[in-house]
Amino acid sequence: MTDVVATPPTLIAEHSIAAAFRQTIALAKRSTLELFRQPALVVPSIIFPLFFAFLGNSSFGRTTSLPGFPKVNSYLQFQLAGTITQGVLFGSVTGAAALATDIENGFFYRLLAAPTARTSILFGRLAGSTLFGALETAVFVLVLLPFGADVSAGLPGIIAMILSGALIALAVGALMSSVALKTGSAEAVQGTFPLLFILLFFSSAFFPRETMSGSYKTIAGINPISHLVEGLRALSLEGFSISATARAILVPLAIAVAALLVANRQLQMRLRAN
Amino acid sequence: MNNSPIIAENLVRHFGDVHAVKGINLDIKAGEVFGFLGPNGAGKSTAVRMLTTLLRPTSGSARVAGFDVVTEADQVRRNIGVALQDAAIDPLMTGAELLALQGVLYGIPGSALKQRSNELLERVGLTAAASRRVSTYSGGMRRRLDLALSLIHQPSVLFLDEPTTGLDPMSRLTLWEEVRRLNREGTTVMLTTQYLEEADQLADRIAIIDHGKIVREGKPADLKAGVGAPTLIINTNTDQVEKANAVLSTFGDLRPGAEGALGVGLRGGAAQVTEVVRKLDEAGVRVQHLEINEPSLDDVFAEATGHRLEGADNAPSAGDNGEEEPSKKKRRGRK
């Protein structure tokens, strides 16, 4: 035995933004692969919103003639934004629960033991959720389009919707990831599911705020989900315009930025706790 | 200046009122296999977590691969390999995918990574299973993959936290052989284990840790020689324990036995066994079982701590052909 430190391996690149980016991409790939290898988690977040959309179309089809209801070709055209938001909300819970599972089973610590940029761990996971949000949005549009869920803004509007869906996924995924990082418990993350469901029903996801009254209307007015849905809905109902696109993109973007700051703070707190 | 790859000075870690590690000192030389032996909850994993930058010490300092574990944590991570007992391998990924991910985390360029992954898969005997999801792997295959993952960047220092816990004897032997091979190639290995045989077989030097403190440290042979006398172990009826101990104590220092057993270090060596049996018989002690053991690490442990190493009797010998144990579950996360 010798009394010298072995020469550090030459394979390793120094820490850099480029390296952090590559790590984020690799972790995003893992996050996406994981999602698609668990169809039992992915399929419900696509099937149930579609089920609710068709159920709503049958049950509430005639409500489109109520005073205050915007001019639409069908209830599905109105509902499309709500369906996208619903699906993306539920999909994002799945992604955040996977982060909590990583903490529970120790994979998170495997990543920490490597020279992984700490933010890559969070952003890699969120990139997977964001991609899934975009995919879900595309699926909802493609499936509901033939049944009357027209998108007045056309193809540019559909592209903007997909981008908006991705940003909503990022925003909700970051908020749910905060819960994952705070608690380290997949059960706690999944426990937020009923809360999201309540928030969704107290929003304008299924009916326009103009048809609501009293405290329900007030709650829907301050509910951020209403604003996410209405941004998307502007593209569906109003046709393509800069203002509609900006509303669809900027509202989720602003929430995403705030949520990312919260999630990053939770990550730093977890790292400091070790 | 001390160039040892693992140095710890008065390393302490508290979790609230729990003092998990109470000031340990280590100086592990380059090219050594160092065994960290102790029962569950002794502080082994906490110490390793501090040395691998996963936990901040409450006080004290440590340098690993030449870098401070707190102020130069990133450099430490680049130079060490870590296989933690409680860091799961993602069951939804394949072995090849996990190696590729690990390679990216260490910044290994694509062409070199592919070659290195193939080398490691072959080395740990997982080439054929590389494209299978980890969920289909046996416990032994997972540990071998874990080892391969920890070696992707050719670390100079390797930390193995209870690498064979829960493995069947054959898998255990395979892993031991790989650790020896790595060590022959120059890798410094710090190995935590609760298995006496593992420490005895693999380690050049060992430290015995109990209740957060290192109670003995040295070469296994030296430690065993330090115990001196062989241990006579007897089993008798519970109502005869006091009488039996009175007889045994006339032949040497009483030593803790495994559950229900009595032990004594025979001052006069193994030749005294006949006389001990005669005296016990004269005292009316009915001996149900008797064995004489040359000094073992368990005796070292017992002599140092006053109790036998928990679980030592349950560890399957590498020579046995036992069934695989269920993996030990441990609390993780914010310790």
Side-chain angles (χ1 to χ4, degrees), chain B residues 73-87:
Chain B
D74 202 54
Q75 286 95 322
V76 171
R77 290 178 200 126
R78 285 172 193 282
N79 287 283
I80 62 171
V82 184
L84 295 174
Q85 185 204 9
D86 53 359

PDB file of all heavy atoms in Angstrom, chain B residues 73-87:
ATOM      1  N   ALA B  73     -17.151  19.946  -1.359  1.00  0.00           N
ATOM      2  CA  ALA B  73     -17.992  18.754  -1.524  1.00  0.00           C
ATOM      3  C   ALA B  73     -18.062  18.287  -2.979  1.00  0.00           C
ATOM      4  O   ALA B  73     -18.045  17.082  -3.256  1.00  0.00           O
ATOM      5  CB  ALA B  73     -19.391  19.050  -0.997  1.00  0.00           C
ATOM      6  N   ASP B  74     -18.124  19.234  -3.915  1.00  0.00           N
ATOM      7  CA  ASP B  74     -18.260  18.835  -5.322  1.00  0.00           C
ATOM      8  C   ASP B  74     -17.021  18.066  -5.806  1.00  0.00           C
ATOM      9  O   ASP B  74     -17.144  17.062  -6.504  1.00  0.00           O
ATOM     10  CB  ASP B  74     -18.504  20.075  -6.187  1.00  0.00           C
ATOM     11  CG  ASP B  74     -19.159  19.697  -7.504  1.00  0.00           C
ATOM     12  OD1 ASP B  74     -20.215  19.035  -7.464  1.00  0.00           O
ATOM     13  OD2 ASP B  74     -18.590  20.015  -8.563  1.00  0.00           O
ATOM     14  N   GLN B  75     -15.845  18.523  -5.393  1.00  0.00           N
ATOM     15  CA  GLN B  75     -14.615  17.806  -5.778  1.00  0.00           C
ATOM     16  C   GLN B  75     -14.575  16.418  -5.139  1.00  0.00           C
ATOM     17  O   GLN B  75     -14.103  15.464  -5.761  1.00  0.00           O
ATOM     18  CB  GLN B  75     -13.372  18.596  -5.363  1.00  0.00           C
ATOM     19  CG  GLN B  75     -13.109  19.818  -6.222  1.00  0.00           C
ATOM     20  CD  GLN B  75     -13.698  21.067  -5.596  1.00  0.00           C
ATOM     21  OE1 GLN B  75     -14.775  21.024  -5.019  1.00  0.00           O
ATOM     22  NE2 GLN B  75     -12.995  22.174  -5.717  1.00  0.00           N
ATOM     23  N   VAL B  76     -15.070  16.333  -3.908  1.00  0.00           N
ATOM     24  CA  VAL B  76     -15.126  15.012  -3.258  1.00  0.00           C
ATOM     25  C   VAL B  76     -15.998  14.081  -4.092  1.00  0.00           C
ATOM     26  O   VAL B  76     -15.595  12.959  -4.428  1.00  0.00           O
ATOM     27  CB  VAL B  76     -15.698  15.123  -1.815  1.00  0.00           C
ATOM     28  CG1 VAL B  76     -15.948  13.731  -1.235  1.00  0.00           C
ATOM     29  CG2 VAL B  76     -14.740  15.897  -0.924  1.00  0.00           C
ATOM     30  N   ARG B  77     -17.176  14.570  -4.485  1.00  0.00           N
ATOM     31  CA  ARG B  77     -18.119  13.722  -5.244  1.00  0.00           C
ATOM     32  C   ARG B  77     -17.517  13.248  -6.560  1.00  0.00           C
ATOM     33  O   ARG B  77     -17.808  12.155  -7.027  1.00  0.00           O
ATOM     34  CB  ARG B  77     -19.405  14.505  -5.516  1.00  0.00           C
ATOM     35  CG  ARG B  77     -20.224  14.739  -4.270  1.00  0.00           C
ATOM     36  CD  ARG B  77     -21.471  15.564  -4.565  1.00  0.00           C
ATOM     37  NE  ARG B  77     -21.945  16.158  -3.326  1.00  0.00           N
ATOM     38  CZ  ARG B  77     -22.177  17.452  -3.134  1.00  0.00           C
ATOM     39  NH1 ARG B  77     -22.001  18.314  -4.118  1.00  0.00           N
ATOM     40  NH2 ARG B  77     -22.593  17.895  -1.968  1.00  0.00           N
ATOM     41  N   ARG B  78     -16.699  14.091  -7.190  1.00  0.00           N
ATOM     42  CA  ARG B  78     -16.108  13.712  -8.479  1.00  0.00           C
ATOM     43  C   ARG B  78     -15.060  12.606  -8.336  1.00  0.00           C
ATOM     44  O   ARG B  78     -14.728  11.941  -9.308  1.00  0.00           O
ATOM     45  CB  ARG B  78     -15.410  14.931  -9.116  1.00  0.00           C
ATOM     46  CG  ARG B  78     -16.367  15.905  -9.672  1.00  0.00           C
ATOM     47  CD  ARG B  78     -15.702  17.180 -10.131  1.00  0.00           C
ATOM     48  NE  ARG B  78     -16.756  18.139 -10.362  1.00  0.00           N
ATOM     49  CZ  ARG B  78     -17.519  18.126 -11.438  1.00  0.00           C
ATOM     50  NH1 ARG B  78     -17.309  17.248 -12.383  1.00  0.00           N
ATOM     51  NH2 ARG B  78     -18.487  18.986 -11.582  1.00  0.00           N
ATOM     52  N   ASN B  79     -14.551  12.453  -7.137  1.00  0.00           N
ATOM     53  CA  ASN B  79     -13.430  11.521  -6.957  1.00  0.00           C
ATOM     54  C   ASN B  79     -13.769  10.256  -6.188  1.00  0.00           C
ATOM     55  O   ASN B  79     -12.894   9.434  -5.965  1.00  0.00           O
ATOM     56  CB  ASN B  79     -12.274  12.258  -6.268  1.00  0.00           C
ATOM     57  CG  ASN B  79     -11.602  13.229  -7.208  1.00  0.00           C
ATOM     58  OD1 ASN B  79     -10.830  12.830  -8.064  1.00  0.00           O
ATOM     59  ND2 ASN B  79     -11.939  14.504  -7.088  1.00  0.00           N
ATOM     60  N   ILE B  80     -15.025  10.167  -5.760  1.00  0.00           N
ATOM     61  CA  ILE B  80     -15.383   8.967  -4.999  1.00  0.00           C
ATOM     62  C   ILE B  80     -16.500   8.207  -5.705  1.00  0.00           C
ATOM     63  O   ILE B  80     -17.282   8.781  -6.466  1.00  0.00           O
ATOM     64  CB  ILE B  80     -15.844   9.310  -3.554  1.00  0.00           C
ATOM     65  CG1 ILE B  80     -17.109  10.188  -3.564  1.00  0.00           C
ATOM     66  CG2 ILE B  80     -14.721   9.986  -2.789  1.00  0.00           C
ATOM     67  CD1 ILE B  80     -17.741  10.380  -2.196  1.00  0.00           C
ATOM     68  N   GLY B  81     -16.557   6.922  -5.436  1.00  0.00           N
ATOM     69  CA  GLY B  81     -17.691   6.117  -5.863  1.00  0.00           C
ATOM     70  C   GLY B  81     -18.471   5.735  -4.617  1.00  0.00           C
ATOM     71  O   GLY B  81     -17.878   5.481  -3.561  1.00  0.00           O
ATOM     72  N   VAL B  82     -19.784   5.749  -4.732  1.00  0.00           N
ATOM     73  CA  VAL B  82     -20.614   5.488  -3.556  1.00  0.00           C
ATOM     74  C   VAL B  82     -21.692   4.474  -3.896  1.00  0.00           C
ATOM     75  O   VAL B  82     -22.449   4.661  -4.847  1.00  0.00           O
ATOM     76  CB  VAL B  82     -21.301   6.789  -3.070  1.00  0.00           C
ATOM     77  CG1 VAL B  82     -22.090   6.524  -1.798  1.00  0.00           C
ATOM     78  CG2 VAL B  82     -20.301   7.898  -2.851  1.00  0.00           C
ATOM     79  N   ALA B  83     -21.742   3.398  -3.146  1.00  0.00           N
ATOM     80  CA  ALA B  83     -22.855   2.444  -3.272  1.00  0.00           C
ATOM     81  C   ALA B  83     -23.503   2.365  -1.899  1.00  0.00           C
ATOM     82  O   ALA B  83     -22.987   1.720  -0.995  1.00  0.00           O
ATOM     83  CB  ALA B  83     -22.342   1.086  -3.717  1.00  0.00           C
ATOM     84  N   LEU B  84     -24.604   3.077  -1.757  1.00  0.00           N
ATOM     85  CA  LEU B  84     -25.282   3.133  -0.461  1.00  0.00           C
ATOM     86  C   LEU B  84     -26.325   2.040  -0.376  1.00  0.00           C
ATOM     87  O   LEU B  84     -27.063   1.806  -1.334  1.00  0.00           O
ATOM     88  CB  LEU B  84     -25.969   4.487  -0.275  1.00  0.00           C
ATOM     89  CG  LEU B  84     -25.062   5.708  -0.196  1.00  0.00           C
ATOM     90  CD1 LEU B  84     -25.902   6.970  -0.154  1.00  0.00           C
ATOM     91  CD2 LEU B  84     -24.171   5.622   1.028  1.00  0.00           C
ATOM     92  N   GLN B  85     -26.396   1.440   0.781  1.00  0.00           N
ATOM     93  CA  GLN B  85     -27.350   0.348   0.969  1.00  0.00           C
ATOM     94  C   GLN B  85     -28.777   0.818   0.735  1.00  0.00           C
ATOM     95  O   GLN B  85     -29.599   0.108   0.182  1.00  0.00           O
ATOM     96  CB  GLN B  85     -27.211  -0.180   2.388  1.00  0.00           C
ATOM     97  CG  GLN B  85     -28.063  -1.398   2.656  1.00  0.00           C
ATOM     98  CD  GLN B  85     -28.353  -1.537   4.139  1.00  0.00           C
ATOM     99  OE1 GLN B  85     -28.057  -0.656   4.918  1.00  0.00           O
ATOM    100  NE2 GLN B  85     -28.939  -2.641   4.504  1.00  0.00           N
ATOM    101  N   ASP B  86     -29.076   2.052   1.171  1.00  0.00           N
ATOM    102  CA  ASP B  86     -30.461   2.501   1.115  1.00  0.00           C
ATOM    103  C   ASP B  86     -30.737   3.471  -0.026  1.00  0.00           C
ATOM    104  O   ASP B  86     -31.722   4.183  -0.018  1.00  0.00           O
ATOM    105  CB  ASP B  86     -30.879   3.113   2.450  1.00  0.00           C
ATOM    106  CG  ASP B  86     -29.917   4.187   2.902  1.00  0.00           C
ATOM    107  OD1 ASP B  86     -28.936   4.423   2.186  1.00  0.00           O
ATOM    108  OD2 ASP B  86     -30.156   4.789   3.955  1.00  0.00           O
ATOM    109  N   ALA B  87     -29.841   3.515  -1.022  1.00  0.00           N
ATOM    110  CA  ALA B  87     -30.114   4.337  -2.206  1.00  0.00           C
ATOM    111  C   ALA B  87     -30.579   3.410  -3.315  1.00  0.00           C
ATOM    112  O   ALA B  87     -29.796   2.694  -3.922  1.00  0.00           O
ATOM    113  CB  ALA B  87     -28.875   5.096  -2.631  1.00  0.00           C
TER     114      ALA B  87
END
